[in-house]
């Protein structure tokens, strides 16, 4: 393996180069960043949190809403200032924005100081491109229009020792009319189930107790193995058998692929967390149709009822878009009605954002910004009230919490998640770092809108 960048850097500076990665977007991007860091560490780069003092800064971008685009160009502006002071500072950009031609054109014409540009289908090439940058003394751009075969056994530098993100599939075939992801991540590809199991076994033997299975639409997983096709419930069943693993989560599932077998898995598999993120997007059938979601509100409610029949204590979250083209006040009222009837534990709410080259970009009846914001505020208020009410039901009871670490704002408070993904903060008197990565009993003493507070329960 050639390693020109690091070798030259060490020769010139007498130390290893430092690298910072800034990640925008979803967990898939977070995991890509972990893999990038793994690849770079293997070659001798040292990770640093602060991109202002790094030798190499990487921005891993998201394109899902306009805000994400804006933040990227804002951050790029900051990097330019650093580069003006320090010409040897190296800037790399990767992730979903790079799969869009208009972004590449803009970077080429107006951002000549960006050194390396790489797409989503070949992030593993980034270390080589850094070498080529030194070798050829010119900027490196490598974007593949489509994914090639899935590359296995990539290293990864994780944020947490005790939990891990695991890709099970890539891409999306659903083409919801508002969404950029099918264009930036390509068509659905499922990993071979044996490779997934092998990876999780290895993680567990290294101390991991919780895995988050990742994919844009994990319940359309179809892994081929020895001439057989494994669907998602079968994969879960096999993962559930791995000794030492304690919790299995997944993200995200699509209502149209929520099979009865998957719903039954919640009742059958002891390690599968009793939590589901099931994006609904809208409570109006007119809007759902124009979004190309391929289910009706009634189908969605049926799914929720089945899930609650199978597992009464299941916690449910969702994504909702407000102000999709053509959304009327009546359509919006249907969304409020749905939220009131499902009573989500939490909901991620988004203002519809026009994405270039998606079908909805061309829809004529875009909703006025002011109306969008007004509806958004009404929705958020309802969603938050319900979250707070649901959380208050936890007070006085004891839950198993997987401890993630100390709270960022208070070093005497530990923070973790219940099986149902509720965030729990609890105060500890003395050093309790040995609890990090363990599942402990916490008695809930107070409920807030977005979190619970409690105390260690010693039985
Ligand atoms: N694959 C996942 C979602 C990925 S994007 C799924 O289908 O559930 C995460 C969320 O961003 C979506 O669920 C949607 O609510 C929101 N989103 C996607 N495109 C958007 C857009 N153009 N404007 C506003 N929100 C959008
Ligand atoms: Fe986007 Fe729809 Fe695919 Fe989710 S399912 S990534 S919202 S196209
Ligand atoms: Fe964003 Fe790409 Fe994820 S567009 S939400 S980073 S798949």
């Amino acid at each position: 393996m050639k390693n020109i960048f690091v070798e030259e850097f060490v020769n010139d500076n007498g130390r290893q180069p430092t690298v910072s990665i800034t990640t925008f977007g979803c967990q898939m991007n977070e995991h890509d960043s972990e893999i990038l860091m793994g690849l770079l560490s293997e070659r001798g780069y040292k990770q640093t949190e602060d991109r202002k003092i790094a030798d190499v800064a990487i921005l891993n971008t998201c394109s899902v809403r306009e805000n994400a685009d804006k933040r990227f160009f804002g951050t790029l502006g900051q990097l330019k200032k650093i580069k003006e002071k320090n010409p040897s500072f190296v800037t790399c950009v990767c992730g979903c924005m790079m799969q869009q031609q208009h972004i590449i054109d803009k970077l080429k014409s107006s951002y000549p100081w960006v050194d390396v540009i790489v797409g989503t289908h070949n992030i593993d090439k980034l270390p080589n491109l850094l070498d080529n940058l030194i070798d050829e003394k010119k900027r490196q751009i490598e974007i593949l229009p489509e994914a090639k075969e899935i590359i296995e056994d990539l290293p990864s530098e994780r944020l947490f020792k005790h939990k891990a993100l695991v890709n099970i599939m890539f891409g999306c075939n659903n083409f919801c009319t508002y969404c950029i992801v099918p264009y930036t991540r390509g068509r659905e590809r499922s990993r071979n189930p044996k490779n997934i199991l092998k990876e999780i076994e290895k993680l567990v033997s290294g101390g991991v107790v919780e895995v988050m299975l990742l994919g844009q639409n994990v319940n359309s997983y179809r892994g081929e193995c020895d001439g057989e096709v494994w669907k998602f419930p079968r994969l879960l069943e096999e993962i559930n058998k791995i000794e030492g693993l304690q919790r299995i989560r997944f993200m995200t599932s699509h209502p149209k692929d929520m099979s009865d077998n998957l719903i039954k898995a919640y009742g059958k598999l002891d390690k599968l967390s009793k939590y589901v993120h099931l994006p609904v997007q809208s409570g109006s059938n007119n809007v759902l149709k124009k979004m190309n979601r391929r289910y009706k509100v009634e189908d969605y409610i049926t799914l929720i009822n089945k899930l609650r029949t199978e597992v009464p204590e299941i916690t449910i979250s969702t994504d909702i878009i407000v102000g999709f083209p053509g959304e009327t006040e009546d359509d919006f009222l249907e969304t409020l009605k749905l939220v009131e009837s499902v009573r989500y534990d939490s909901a991620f709410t988004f203002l519809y954002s026009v994405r270039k080259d998606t079908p909805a970009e061309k829809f004529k009846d875009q909703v006025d910004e002011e109306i969008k914001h007004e509806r958004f505020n009404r929705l958020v208020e309802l969603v938050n009230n319900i979250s707070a009410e649901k959380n208050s039901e936890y007070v006085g009871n004891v839950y198993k919490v997987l401890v993630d670490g100390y709270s960022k704002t208070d070093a005497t408070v530990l923070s973790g998640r219940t099986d149902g993904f509720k965030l729990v903060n609890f105060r500890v008197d003395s050093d309790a770092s040995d609890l990090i990565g363990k599942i402990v009993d916490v008695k809930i003493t107070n409920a807030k809108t977005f979190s619970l507070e409690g105390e260690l329960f010693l039985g």
Side-chain angles (χ1 to χ4, degrees):
M1 174 165 79
K2 69 174 180 174
N3 198 9
I4 305 171
F5 189 101
V6 174
E7 281 162 15
E8 279 216 3
F9 191 95
V10 173
N11 271 342
D12 295 346
N13 300 278
R15 62 175 178 86
Q16 311 290 121
T18 56
V19 57
S20 94
I21 307 185
T22 307
T23 311
F24 302 90
C26 65
Q27 273 146 328
M28 254 138 291
N29 251 19
E30 262 171 49
H31 191 43
D32 281 351
S33 291
E34 292 181 343
I35 292 172
L36 265 180
M37 201 56 237
L39 289 163
L40 293 168
S41 300
E42 272 186 346
R43 293 175 183 234
Y45 294 81
K46 299 276 171 226
Q47 186 166 14
T48 171
E49 297 286 313
D50 187 355
R51 61 177 173 254
K52 290 190 214 67
I53 56 161
D55 301 306
V56 179
I58 302 174
L59 301 184
N60 191 4
T61 65
C62 168
S63 209
V64 80
R65 283 171 291 275
E66 197 188 355
N67 242 353
D69 283 20
K70 281 197 184 139
R71 279 174 61 205
F72 166 65
F73 283 109
T75 314
L76 216 47
Q78 289 171 12
L79 297 190
K80 186 179 185 197
K81 293 210 180 84
I82 303 174
K83 190 131 184 155
E84 279 163 1
K85 285 194 203 123
N86 172 14
S88 61
F89 177 66
V90 174
T91 55
C92 311
V93 293
C94 59
C96 286
M97 285 179 77
M98 303 310 131
Q99 292 300 135
Q100 294 170 277
Q101 192 55 47
H102 68 105
I103 299 289
I104 298 298
D105 294 343
K106 186 164 169 179
L107 289 172
K108 277 187 178 162
S109 63
S110 313
Y111 296 79
W113 46 273
V114 172
D115 301 296
V116 175
I117 303 176
V118 65
T120 55
H121 301 308
N122 52 341
I123 48 154
D124 56 298
K125 290 287 154 16
L126 195 138
N128 290 354
L129 295 175
L130 282 167
D131 287 338
N132 296 349
L133 177 74
I134 300 297
D135 215 11
E136 299 167 13
K137 306 211 169 4
K138 66 171 202 292
R139 76 168 4 184
Q140 301 291 317
I141 305 182
E142 197 178 298
I143 314 287
L144 303 181
E146 277 170 53
K148 295 216 172 116
E149 80 285 6
I150 296 173
I151 304 166
E152 292 292 342
D153 293 325
L154 291 173
S156 146
E157 195 100 328
R158 291 197 314 276
L159 197 58
F160 295 99
K161 264 194 151 138
H162 59 278
K163 56 181 193 180
L165 304 170
V166 176
N167 283 324
I168 64 163
M169 60 180 302
F170 304 90
C172 181
N173 288 353
N174 291 325
F175 291 94
C176 302
T177 51
Y178 50 80
C179 185
I180 196 76
V181 173
Y183 309 92
T184 64
R185 293 275 169 170
R187 294 295 64 69
E188 280 177 8
R189 284 120 29 226
S190 293
R191 270 179 82 190
N192 177 316
K194 292 259 164 80
N195 290 336
I196 297 171
L197 291 169
K198 223 168 49 193
E199 178 176 344
I200 299 177
E201 276 157 14
K202 197 167 150 204
L203 287 166
V204 170
S205 66
V208 164
V209 293
E210 176 182 298
V211 288
M212 168 76 93
L213 310 176
L214 293 181
Q216 288 300 347
N217 183 10
V218 287
N219 46 356
S220 72
Y221 174 84
R222 291 173 73 81
E224 280 179 42
C225 173
D226 306 330
E228 250 190 294
V229 173
W230 292 28
K231 291 194 188 166
F232 188 50
R234 165 97 190 264
L235 179 70
L236 285 174
E237 219 167 281
E238 297 297 323
I239 296 174
N240 194 65
K241 289 180 190 157
I242 296 175
E243 227 169 285
L245 181 66
Q246 306 204 42
R247 281 182 180 176
I248 308 168
R249 301 189 186 284
F250 58 81
M251 190 83 132
T252 300
S253 44
H254 192 298
K256 79 171 171 45
D257 298 311
M258 196 72 182
S259 65
D260 286 349
N261 274 346
L262 180 53
I263 293 172
K264 287 211 184 75
Y266 278 104
K268 262 195 337 208
L269 307 178
D270 60 320
K271 294 176 187 171
L272 184 58
S273 285
K274 310 285 181 282
Y275 164 68
V276 66
H277 180 65
L278 200 59
V280 67
Q281 313 299 0
S282 168
S284 150
N285 282 334
N286 297 335
V287 176
L288 287 175
K289 186 147 195 268
K290 285 175 83 183
M291 286 178 162
N292 191 30
R293 288 293 288 180
R294 287 178 269 186
Y295 53 82
K296 292 203 161 132
V297 181
E298 303 83 73
D299 307 328
Y300 185 88
I301 302 265
T302 305
L303 282 179
I304 299 287
N305 291 340
K306 281 188 189 171
L307 281 160
R308 287 194 167 138
T309 306
E310 189 68 33
V311 192
E313 74 272 30
I314 196 162
T315 51
I316 304 176
S317 61
T318 198
D319 292 345
I320 299 171
I321 297 178
V322 174
F324 184 77
E327 183 190 74
T328 62
E329 175 66 15
D330 280 349
D331 291 323
F332 177 67
L333 289 175
E334 302 238 31
T335 299
L336 293 183
K337 201 169 105 197
L338 174 89
V339 168
E340 268 172 358
S341 104
V342 175
R343 295 181 59 78
Y344 292 103
D345 287 276
S346 62
F348 300 92
T349 47
F350 305 107
L351 285 165
Y352 168 69
S353 166
V354 184
R355 302 288 64 208
K356 199 169 157 32
D357 299 331
T358 58
E361 184 198 7
K362 319 240 157 28
F363 292 177
K364 293 271 174 300
D365 35 6
Q366 301 285 336
V367 176
D368 184 78
E369 281 303 312
E370 213 171 295
I371 296 177
K372 261 197 221 175
H373 279 88
E374 184 260 341
R375 286 182 191 160
F376 183 81
N377 294 342
R378 279 152 74 197
L379 175 64
V380 169
E381 195 185 333
L382 176 64
V383 157
N384 288 353
N385 286 343
I386 295 173
S387 294
E389 281 168 25
K390 291 220 117 184
N391 279 352
S392 69
E393 292 162 17
Y394 283 66
V395 176
N397 297 328
V398 176
Y399 293 90
K400 299 233 170 278
V401 172
L402 173 57
V403 183
D404 286 328
Y406 282 101
S407 142
K408 285 196 189 79
T409 49
D410 187 342
T412 63
V413 170
L414 283 173
S415 150
R417 298 264 178 187
T418 65
D419 180 70
F421 208 53
K422 296 271 178 189
L423 179 63
V424 179
N425 293 310
F426 59 101
R427 196 167 294 283
V428 279
D429 303 330
S430 49
D431 178 25
S433 359
D434 57 323
L435 296 183
I436 297 172
K438 304 249 161 58
I439 293 180
V440 298
D441 286 327
V442 178
K443 182 168 183 181
I444 304 305
T445 52
N446 188 29
K448 298 179 153 189
T449 307
F450 305 110
S451 64
L452 300 169
E453 289 173 346
E455 54 199 28
L456 263 183
F457 180 74
L458 302 166

